Amino acid sequence: MTSRQEQWARLRRQLWQPPRAHGEQPRERVVGPLELFYDLVVVVLVAQAAQHLAGDLDWHGLGLFAAVFTLVWIAWLNGSLHHELHGREDARGRIMFLLQILVLVPLGAFIPDAGGARGFAFAVDAGVLFAVLALLWLLAARGDSPEYRRPSMLFVTGTAVCAAVLGASAVLPAGPRVLTWGLLALAYLVGFTVVIGRSIPERAVALSVTDALAERFGLFIIIVLGENVTGVVEGLAHETSNALTLAVGLVAVVVGFGSWWTYFDFAGHRLPRPTRASTLQWMLVHLPLTAAVAAMGAAMVDLVEYAHESRTPAATAWVLCAGAAVVLCMTMVLASSLQIWRTTQGLYRPLSRTCVAAAVLCVAVGAARPAPLVLGIALALLFGIPWTLAVVKRLSDDTEPATDPTS
């Protein structure tokens, strides 16, 4: 009997281990299939928001997209950081992810009409999601050392307050409700910056970004780009098949590919400098960067739909071109937080100026609103300018390759 009890106790300890304490996360590990599944679920929500934006490309639609996307991204960041810092590959870790997924799935169903009839349900479900996240962080904080206990509780309190405000916003009219979501998301990001930037020891913040977490952020970008391709395919499937429509769709894919090579050639899968400021910059800059990629995908659907127009609709042109400009600029802001930024200044300093110039030209193309095919080709060429510069620099002065600066 005693031996059997010991076996059950040992099995229980293996399957249901307590959260890891701060600083105990493995520095070298690969991203597991459970994390990828979780990311795919979150990207389904991003795709829902982008699809709704594609059908409502105006200021109201952009505002709703920004509020919903930011809340979803904050939830994803919370879940990802929790697993990176405290999670384990055991039954407890799987159940924690499953619990979040069970809340995320209905949330995705409410997104298409979050600004209207289903806003009440979205607010309540989002409140439940943040309450679950607060609970996860609270359970992890119980085992913290004294130096982490206060900032951990501040983080838990902020997440719990966010859950309460989201739940309370359900009773508001549609307009004030969406405005509340946007202001709440902004306040949460400010609070996150303050807690991480001032309360948590710098060595812990600097060590929070591991190779696995950098891979997670990059994979999230890739999956969002994949949804862009899905949008183009759906656009082609619903339009009359002809050479011009097909050409516009393929050019839209090339523009999305330009976003991919800009991010991964110059910033993706690289670690920030081991400082608090660089780590925060690295994390938060991914928000507008990922949102811009998702918004571009929404605009690509309309680009295919209006392939035969003599001028691209204003909303489509502005969202697509402004999104491209944000990708170019934010990639350079992200790159400035990296360790490699200082070791290859001969490449990155002229590259950053070139990206800003290309971004300005993207905005100019959006203002001109040429035909969809011309607009797509122009954006593809503008994305190619920074990459061409990097290749020329490599050939001329033996700078480290832009495609693999670590080699």
Side-chain angles (χ1 to χ4, degrees):
M1 181 65 68
T2 302
S3 176
R4 184 174 300 176
Q5 290 175 348
E6 291 176 350
Q7 290 176 354
W8 276 111
R10 185 166 56 253
L11 179 62
R12 187 169 58 251
R13 286 193 299 269
Q14 292 174 348
L15 295 179
W16 200 269
Q17 302 177 65
R20 278 198 304 260
H22 272 97
E24 293 184 1
Q25 73 267 33
R27 299 298 300 169
E28 296 181 2
R29 71 175 185 90
V30 297
V31 177
L34 180 60
E35 295 166 273
L36 293 177
F37 181 49
Y38 175 74
D39 291 349
L40 284 170
V41 172
V42 175
V43 171
V44 170
L45 274 68
V46 173
Q48 287 285 83
Q51 289 173 11
H52 183 267
L53 176 61
D56 192 16
L57 278 177
D58 54 22
W59 287 112
H60 175 268
L62 281 172
L64 178 60
F65 171 79
V68 169
F69 179 90
T70 304
L71 288 173
V72 171
W73 188 87
I74 289 173
W76 174 80
L77 177 66
N78 260 282
S80 300
L81 281 178
H82 178 272
H83 184 73
E84 185 64 33
L85 296 174
H86 306 293
R88 299 181 187 273
E89 301 297 331
D90 59 358
R92 183 183 187 280
R94 296 184 179 190
I95 290 175
M96 295 302 101
F97 267 129
L98 177 60
L99 183 59
Q100 295 175 68
I101 290 170
L102 290 176
V103 182
L104 284 166
V105 168
L107 190 68
F110 302 143
I111 284 177
D113 202 15
R118 289 194 163 184
F120 178 93
F122 178 89
V124 172
D125 199 359
V128 172
L129 175 61
F130 275 81
V132 169
L133 292 169
L135 176 61
L136 295 182
W137 285 104
L138 177 62
L139 294 175
R142 287 169 29 179
D144 276 338
S145 60
E147 64 177 329
Y148 294 109
R149 194 161 298 136
R150 180 178 177 275
S152 294
M153 292 311 299
L154 286 174
F155 195 80
V156 170
T157 301
T159 306
V161 169
C162 188
V165 173
L166 282 168
S169 71
V171 300
L172 296 175
R177 183 192 299 139
V178 175
L179 178 61
T180 299
W181 296 344
L183 294 175
L184 179 63
L186 179 60
Y188 190 93
L189 291 173
V190 171
F192 177 87
T193 303
V194 171
V195 172
I196 302 296
R198 293 188 178 184
S199 299
I200 296 180
E202 182 163 2
R203 61 181 176 82
V205 176
L207 291 174
S208 62
V209 179
T210 61
D211 290 333
L213 190 64
E215 185 179 357
R216 287 283 301 279
F217 275 77
L219 289 172
F220 197 76
I221 293 281
I222 289 177
I223 300 173
V224 173
L225 282 168
E227 291 296 333
N228 291 354
V229 176
T230 300
V232 172
V233 171
E234 289 182 356
L236 290 173
H238 289 88
E239 297 299 321
T240 303
S241 298
N242 55 67
L244 181 57
T245 303
L246 180 60
V248 171
L250 294 179
V251 168
V253 174
V254 174
V255 172
F257 190 72
S259 300
W260 173 85
W261 78 46
T262 298
Y263 173 79
F264 283 101
D265 277 3
F266 305 127
H269 285 181
R270 295 163 176 85
L271 299 180
R273 291 187 295 276
T275 66
R276 180 186 285 120
S278 295
T279 301
L280 273 171
Q281 178 180 336
W282 184 89
M283 288 183 184
L284 296 179
V285 169
H286 274 92
L287 170 57
L289 182 59
T290 311
V293 172
M296 288 175 65
M300 288 175 186
V301 178
D302 276 9
L303 196 71
V304 174
E305 181 181 351
Y306 294 103
H308 291 271
E309 298 292 327
S310 59
R311 296 189 73 190
T312 303
T316 304
W318 278 114
V319 171
L320 187 55
C321 293
V326 170
V327 169
L328 287 164
C329 291
M330 289 298 103
T331 299
M332 288 299 101
V333 175
L334 180 62
S336 68
S337 71
L338 302 177
Q339 299 176 10
I340 197 173
W341 175 270
R342 292 180 177 175
T343 59
T344 55
Q345 290 187 0
L347 169 65
Y348 275 100
R349 289 193 180 278
L351 184 64
S352 61
R353 293 192 290 267
T354 302
C355 283
V356 171
V360 172
L361 292 176
C362 286
V363 175
V365 171
R369 292 171 48 209
L373 182 60
V374 176
L375 184 143
I377 293 174
L379 290 181
L381 292 174
L382 289 173
F383 270 122
I385 292 175
W387 185 82
T388 302
L389 171 69
V391 173
V392 170
K393 290 288 291 182
R394 164 63 174 161
L395 294 175
S396 63
D397 57 17
D398 202 30
T399 299
E400 291 183 30
T403 53
D404 188 8
T406 61
S407 64

